[in-house]
Amino acid sequence: MFDDFLVRATLAGVAVAMAAAVLGCFVVWRRMAYFGDATAHAAILGVALSLGLSISIFAGAMAVAVIMALIVAGLSGRGYAEDTLLGVLAHSALAFGLVAVSFIPDVRVDLGAYLFGDILAVGKADLAVIWIGALAVVGLIAWRWSRLLMATLNADLAFASGIHPRREQLVLTLALAIVVAVSIKVVGALLITALLIIPAAAARPFGRTPEAMALGAVVIGVASAVLGMVAAYQLDTPTGPTIVSVAAILFVLSNLSRLLWSR
């Protein structure tokens, strides 16, 4: 039987995978992968501010992630290519965050835990925050599903139907910030984007409808979290990277299956 800390870690992984998979479908549909990367990298600056101000890591990471996402949304289309802007902001925020951590007195920080995750250190309070955040994201997307889908498929048609695409973009921005904040301890800032993209991309070949793709992404994401935990336990490997590695293997198997069935 798993020890208590392994049960908590598995439950945390399942919660993050579930929320990331649902949101990841919109990240894939909207081609927001680099946007997610920028937001995740900015979370390290939030971690540094949280440690310096002695506030919750979750609150600091989410606040900075929201600010970063709003800055990117506000500056897009104003003289810079979006990928260039995202690249500058993402890596600048990560660098400033790493530098800021070094200036915090009397605090010894394991940066690897925030960059690649430390899911085995998840406590009961962390687990509660992760599940509340994950359920909030799933509930938010379920509530706005039809509007988000319409704004994703055709912004002009959505506007004509009384839906404001900009508002739906802000909903996704908020959801992304929450996912980034709750994922810090599970897979770390450098691997959050992978957990957003890979399960959704793996489910895409078999998703005949948007709802089917989202459900498939959740199944693949949760399977990746559970199998990744088991593999990490058996092989004594880093848990966060192992979860992402399992998701990558499932992505390859998904695409191989599609190729074989299409013949």
Side-chain angles (χ1 to χ4, degrees), residues 123-139:
K124 292 181 179 178
D126 296 322
L127 185 60
V129 170
I130 289 170
W131 268 96
I132 290 172
L135 291 176
V137 168
V138 173

Side-chain angles (χ1 to χ4, degrees), residues 98-118:
L98 295 176
V99 170
V101 168
S102 68
F103 283 105
I104 300 175
D106 304 323
V107 175
R108 300 185 66 181
V109 181
D110 179 12
L111 286 176
Y114 296 109
L115 293 174
F116 304 107
D118 188 13

